[in-house]
Amino acid sequence: MNKKSYFGNYGGQFVPETAMFALDELENAYEKIAKTSEFKAELDDLLKNYVGRPSPLYHAKRLSKHYGHEIYLKREDLNHTGAHKINNALAQALLAKKMGKKKILAETGAGQHGVATATAAALLGLECDVYMGAVDIARQELNAYRMKLLGANLVSINDGLKTLKEATTAAIQAWVNEIESVFYVIGSAVGPHPYPMIVRDFQNVIGRETKAQLNKYGVKADYIIACVGGGSNAIGIFNEFLSDTSVNLVGIEAGGLGANTPYHAATLTNGRDGIIHGMKTIVLQDKYGMIEEVHSISAGLDYPGVGPQHAHLHTSGRVKYEAITDDECINALKLLSRLEGIIPAIESSHALAYLEKLCPNLSEKKTIIVNISGRGDKDINTIMSYEKGKIYG
């Protein structure tokens, strides 16, 4: 067992032998290129002048008054392309170009990673294929068109549930078929080593900024809350605070119609150890080990696995993971929209909805950070047509 590829018992490289040289090539390039001062300076310049970082840490005063606690929002929704996904996609695409790759490919669920990857490809002059489930293309029509407008080739996947799991499987297969010339830009902190580490490191900018902004305000965080599908926005904000056990970290999964029903994507709530997409992690599976179908109003959280570092943080107890239902999520989205004039992504609204459960049970006033991982423009059609009890995905 290569311990550097694991977080506790989770991680590894469960891929065909044909893919191993590409993973070794990626790890070597990451160490020799991405950690140089030149690469970091170029990426920092792009994050500042192209993406618009640092994203604000906004004190939501009306939401704070509503809940009786001091609530701050990390505004990743204000990034170029509207989500945290650009941080990682741009960094990986830049690494791909430095490695001499001419083409990148990606998987996407809600479409934000696809848009971010297509954006980075356009900026850097790379070819780009994006794999997306047919169901997700239909419910994220705006993002599907944005990718095409940016010059990407959108590949519709019609297998299985036609959502993120199937898109990821298809992307991995396509990557293996062209592995010498193509760079796979994984969008979340999932997959075989070194991807979970690389994605975490590139998303760590969220946590670094949050820590610096809290220091600037003279504020100490008591709770940090983020939604978790694969888990990149969550690990991006959590990682800087893992060693500070006075900060409570809470990851929020998609509870769908309820984690006690068959219609959810609450992996850490109901899953068990298994293998998916090249990694050992916690997976939603039946008694025979077959991957279970997942359901969520959120295309971005609609995934039966989770990043291996989150699986480790769950089993070690450092991070608490909870599930929020579709209905709780939509109520939270509408509340933030009306109180603060911010329409959050459906994914982020799962994290916001946890305030309804947390705040009434706190005995004294606390400072709570919620990572607003994306904006809700992409979700307007879903929000408009939302029906309680409807199965999405």
Side-chain angles (χ1 to χ4, degrees), residues 63 75 83 87 100 106-107 136 159 163 195 226 239 243 249 279 341 362 367 389:
L63 195 68
R75 297 292 306 278
N87 306 326
E107 84 298 328
D136 289 340
D159 300 328
T163 56
Y195 277 108
N239 195 59
S243 61
L249 305 175
M279 59 183 168
L362 297 174
T367 298

Side-chain angles (χ1 to χ4, degrees), residues 6-52:
Y6 280 78
F7 303 93
N9 293 321
Y10 301 101
Q13 295 173 309
F14 295 85
V15 297
E17 195 64 33
T18 50
M20 284 304 298
F21 96 90
L23 294 175
D24 290 341
E25 179 190 41
L26 172 59
E27 186 172 7
N28 289 334
Y30 178 69
E31 294 295 332
K32 293 178 181 177
I33 299 173
K35 292 191 175 181
T36 64
S37 57
E38 293 83 4
F39 182 92
K40 290 178 180 178
E42 187 172 351
L43 179 58
D44 286 348
D45 180 72
L46 287 170
L47 290 174
K48 178 182 177 182
N49 296 306
Y50 187 71
V51 175

Side-chain angles (χ1 to χ4, degrees), residues 137-149:
I137 289 175
R139 61 179 170 175
Q140 296 291 338
E141 186 179 7
L142 175 63
N143 273 347
Y145 182 73
R146 290 169 76 193
M147 286 178 255
K148 294 176 184 177
L149 191 61

Side-chain angles (χ1 to χ4, degrees), residues 14 28 80 83 126 135 157 167 170-172 201 228 261 270 286 330 341:
F14 295 85
N28 289 334
H80 178 46
L126 300 167
V135 166
I157 305 303
I172 291 172
D201 290 354
V228 177
T261 76
N270 287 341
D286 64 20
I330 292 297

Side-chain angles (χ1 to χ4, degrees), residues 152-169:
N153 173 38
L154 184 62
V155 183
S156 177
I157 305 303
N158 291 287
D159 300 328
L161 288 180
K162 308 173 189 178
T163 56
L164 181 57
K165 176 175 74 71
E166 290 78 21
T168 303
T169 300

